[in-house]
Amino acid sequence: MNATDRKTVAEALAGLAVMIDTLDNIGAALRDLADAEREKFDNLSEGLQGAQSGQDIEAAAEALEAAADACDNTDVGEAVTHLESIS
């Protein structure tokens, strides 16, 4: 491998490092949002938890947690799928 190719590889590695750092930050933000949704659900009365709005909050929390886990595993496609499932 010549110097030009090595430079290309080094640039690719640097770009991937930035992408991984960004994905980690997104995952952390999604986990914080999931925690907030879970707390919102937990603070509802049992009756409201069983209602559609409560079920929607719980489903959103679960989807956000799954998306954060996908970010931790660097699976962008799975993270997108989970986020798109939130209504």
Side-chain angles (χ1 to χ4, degrees):
M1 185 173 287
N2 62 33
T4 301
D5 294 341
R6 278 192 211 87
K7 182 179 177 186
T8 300
V9 169
E11 290 170 352
L13 285 171
L16 289 169
V18 169
M19 290 174 62
I20 289 170
D21 187 49
T22 300
L23 199 53
D24 288 344
N25 291 335
I26 291 169
L30 291 173
R31 198 164 307 283
D32 289 345
L33 189 55
D35 290 345
E37 287 296 299
R38 179 71 58 197
E39 184 175 338
K40 189 186 310 180
F41 177 79
D42 290 344
N43 288 330
L44 294 174
S45 67
E46 283 187 33
L48 289 176
Q49 285 180 352
Q52 186 60 49
S53 59
Q55 295 299 305
D56 290 344
I57 292 169
E58 184 176 38
E62 290 171 359
L64 289 163
E65 290 165 353
D69 290 343
C71 288
D72 291 345
N73 295 323
T74 63
D75 190 339
V76 175
E78 184 179 341
V80 169
T81 298
H82 288 296
L83 293 175
E84 288 177 340
S85 74
I86 298 172
S87 53

